[in-house]
Amino acid sequence: MILSKHTFLADRINSDDALILNYLSGSIDKIEKKELEELKNRISLNNWDNYHLSDYMLERGYLYSDKDVEEDKINEKYLEFMDEYEKTATQLIFSTSYVCNFSCVYCFQEEYNQNSKTLNNEITDKFFNYIDKKFSNEPGGVYITLFGGEPLLGGEKHKNHIMYFLSKAVKSNIPVAIVTNGYELKNYIHDFKSLGVNIKEIQVTVDGDRENHNSRRFTRSKETTFDTIMEGVELALKNGYRINLRSILDKRNIASLVKLAEYCDEKGFLDYPASHFETSIGRNYELHSCQDTKQLFSRYDMWLEYFKLSEEFPILKKYHKPGFHGMRMLAESGELPVPIFDSCPACKKEWAFDANGGIYSCTATVGVSKYQLGNYFEKDTPLNQEKVLEWQTRDVLTMEECKDCSVSLSCGGGCATIAANENNGKIHSTNCRPVKELVGIGLEYYKIGD
């Protein structure tokens, strides 16, 4: 027998408990304390001769009879993953311009060309003509995500162009998601209703309580924004639109998440079902430009700090339910998620476009010239198929670093853009996630194994 290359141990934080997991087989078991040392020794030596738990571990998929049997299982699960992946909707991100009415203290687009084209009806027509030809036969359908800069700017001229764009989406029966700073949201809701736009979700970013948010996300004329944004959020919810309230965290504002949670609770936002109101937490990090790195968290440190806050302020557990690499799903359903062979949707289930005609792989690359793949303004100019293929063939089975990694089937290889930025443009490189450590936090956060 051999140890599965996807078997690993995770230590539950603030506890002596340890668990054994395998995302390939979907197995997780708590390890008796008296068994732990011998199990660790067996794993280090990959020696299962005369081990009294061998049969159980073989049955649970922590061990395999030989390498070929495990490879067959990997291939079987990969085909299942690809079959389900193919059925998911393709996201077409459209950046209306790189102009924004905010001047946030952090912005990964701050060095983009602010003088580039802005949306008009001619650009909208060209975009819809292109996607009608290229994406009308997607097995899982498509949806459009309006992106920026800021897509919901003020001013009648811009608003008319946005509503024309949305009318084309309605005519094509394509659902729309919107990523907005929320400042002008309240001025769009009535028009969304009148037009009958099928809005999947409106993502609004609020970085903590009023004081902290206003110190980070203000207008270009330095006006505060928290109260105006929340008026729009409340109006959207009352009109039946789904809100995803997102916060970007670093060391300067993470503690203020508690007061934001209390605010949302008092407003009744947390009483909406998840299908109507959800929160998400993002990490402020370096994507294309440098920041004051002293204020930035690593992925693990941010979630560790969040965990500590949630222990002290339980309102956070009502406010947000982190995934922790399948621990939320395990707590809610009793099952681990299926293996993730690819966590980067770029050029597969995600494409991005801008008002200059640019075609890109994803949200993270839109507007970055070195990542442009084509131009939908130019009918006769093909996509850079060599580059497209590079994005499309990236998964944990094609990257050497991932093939024998025990946590790759939950990490999925991470973000290809970050990986490329950190590895001299190499798309087939890894952006590793601290899976074991986050699982350890998740086990305690959701009290799994109690």
Side-chain angles (χ1 to χ4, degrees):
M1 279 181 281
I2 61 166
L3 181 73
S4 165
K5 57 187 178 183
H6 296 293
T7 294
F8 66 96
L9 302 180
D11 296 321
R12 179 169 164 171
I13 195 169
N14 294 347
S15 165
D16 294 331
D17 291 345
L19 289 93
I20 185 169
L21 297 89
N22 188 302
Y23 288 105
L24 179 63
S25 62
S27 296
I28 179 169
D29 285 276
K30 188 174 180 179
I31 304 168
E32 297 290 334
K33 288 184 174 56
K34 63 182 180 181
E35 303 285 354
L36 184 58
E37 286 308 311
E38 181 174 2
L39 180 58
K40 284 182 176 178
N41 187 46
R42 293 275 181 174
I43 287 175
S44 68
L45 299 173
N46 202 4
N47 177 7
W48 307 100
D49 294 341
N50 303 315
Y51 183 44
H52 67 289
L53 293 177
S54 292
D55 288 343
Y56 179 76
M57 291 181 66
L58 187 67
E59 179 187 336
R60 297 284 284 163
Y62 301 121
L63 301 179
Y64 281 89
S65 55
D66 60 48
K67 184 179 177 182
D68 290 341
V69 175
E70 182 173 24
E71 289 302 319
D72 287 345
K73 175 62 74 174
I74 291 171
N75 291 332
E76 174 193 327
K77 291 294 183 181
Y78 181 71
L79 292 175
E80 289 177 7
F81 170 80
M82 292 303 295
D83 188 46
E84 288 303 311
Y85 196 55
E86 189 69 13
K87 296 174 186 172
T88 60
T90 300
Q91 180 177 206
L92 306 177
I93 294 160
F94 186 84
S95 179
T96 56
S97 76
Y98 299 109
V99 174
C100 186
N101 49 356
F102 276 23
S103 182
C104 302
V105 295
Y106 61 90
C107 178
F108 76 89
Q109 292 184 339
E110 65 180 349
E111 295 177 0
Y112 288 20
N113 181 9
Q114 298 286 333
N115 295 318
S116 61
K117 290 182 179 179
T118 57
L119 184 65
N120 60 41
N121 294 354
E122 182 184 2
I123 293 171
T124 292
D125 288 340
K126 288 180 179 178
F127 170 70
F128 276 91
N129 287 340
Y130 182 82
I131 66 170
D132 183 54
K133 291 176 183 173
K134 299 293 184 181
F135 295 98
S136 58
N137 294 317
E138 288 291 296
V142 300
Y143 69 97
I144 296 170
T145 295
L146 277 184
F147 193 65
E150 168 53 39
L152 303 185
L153 293 170
E156 281 306 305
K157 184 178 178 181
H158 179 79
K159 190 176 181 182
N160 289 339
H161 288 146
I162 290 291
M163 297 315 297
Y164 179 76
F165 184 99
L166 292 175
S167 72
K168 297 279 285 192
V170 171
K171 189 176 179 181
S172 301
N173 197 27
I174 299 176
V176 175
I178 302 172
V179 177
T180 174
N181 60 35
Y183 192 69
E184 294 284 345
L185 178 59
K186 65 180 181 181
N187 298 321
Y188 277 84
I189 297 296
H190 174 74
D191 298 277
F192 293 163
K193 295 288 283 188
S194 298
L195 189 60
V197 188
N198 179 4
I199 295 181
K200 280 173 60 73
E201 174 182 286
I202 302 171
Q203 179 185 294
V204 179
T205 301
V206 176
D207 277 1
D209 65 354
R210 182 180 286 105
E211 179 182 357
N212 276 273
H213 173 89
N214 285 338
S215 71
R216 296 162 61 87
R217 296 180 65 83
F218 37 81
T219 68
R220 291 200 169 274
S221 57
K222 308 298 182 188
E223 294 173 5
T224 60
T225 60
F226 181 90
D227 291 317
T228 304
I229 291 169
M230 285 307 189
E231 285 179 38
V233 167
E234 193 165 11
L235 186 62
L237 287 168
K238 287 179 177 176
N239 279 275
Y241 294 114
R242 183 175 196 268
I243 289 289
N244 178 355
L245 199 67
R246 181 170 182 254
S247 296
I248 305 297
L249 301 182
D250 55 37
K251 294 175 183 176
R252 294 168 291 198
N253 71 325
I254 190 167
S256 71
L257 203 61
V258 176
K259 287 187 177 179
L260 176 61
E262 291 171 347
Y263 175 93
C264 290
D265 199 30
E266 290 168 6
K267 282 285 188 181
F269 297 170
L270 305 189
D271 296 328
Y272 284 105
S275 58
H276 209 70
F277 180 82
E278 186 181 47
T279 59
S280 57
I281 291 176
R283 182 171 59 94
N284 186 14
Y285 62 95
E286 292 183 293
L287 182 57
H288 300 302
S289 57
C290 295
Q291 296 191 45
D292 178 5
T293 54
K294 293 179 181 176
Q295 298 299 330
L296 305 184
F297 280 120
S298 69
R299 189 179 297 273
Y300 172 72
D301 286 343
M302 184 190 79
W303 285 113
L304 178 62
E305 188 63 25
Y306 171 85
F307 167 76
K308 291 176 181 175
L309 280 171
S310 71
E311 292 289 291
E312 187 175 357
F313 303 100
I315 185 66
L316 286 179
K317 293 192 175 183
K318 183 179 181 182
Y319 177 77
H320 184 65
K321 293 181 171 56
F324 288 132
H325 289 279
M327 295 305 101
R328 174 182 174 179
M329 180 175 172
L330 181 66
E332 293 178 347
S333 71
E335 295 182 354
L336 283 177
V338 297
I340 299 171
F341 288 87
D342 183 12
S343 61
C344 174
C347 288
K348 294 162 245 178
K349 289 297 176 179
E350 185 172 319
W351 294 81
F353 307 83
D354 69 10
N356 302 310
I359 303 172
Y360 302 86
S361 61
C362 65
T363 318
T365 60
V366 65
V368 182
S369 57
K370 67 181 178 181
Y371 288 120
Q372 185 167 342
L373 302 169
N375 191 308
Y376 63 88
F377 288 173
E378 300 168 7
K379 293 180 182 177
D380 299 325
T381 303
L383 284 173
N384 184 335
Q385 293 295 349
E386 185 180 346
K387 276 293 178 189
V388 169
L389 191 62
E390 202 172 346
W391 289 96
Q392 290 180 331
T393 54
R394 180 187 184 273
D395 63 33
V396 301
L397 299 185
T398 62
M399 290 186 286
E400 289 299 324
E401 302 96 320
C402 297
K403 286 182 178 177
D404 294 322
C405 173
S406 62
V407 301
S408 64
L409 297 184
S410 183
C411 171
C415 171
T417 306
I418 296 175
N421 284 346
E422 294 177 348
N423 293 281
N424 298 316
K426 185 181 177 184
I427 294 169
H428 279 238
S429 56
T430 60
N431 168 232
C432 303
R433 308 291 167 84
V435 175
K436 294 178 185 177
E437 293 79 4
L438 294 181
V439 164
I441 295 175
L443 290 168
E444 178 66 16
Y445 189 85
Y446 292 112
K447 306 299 182 190
I448 293 169
D450 282 355

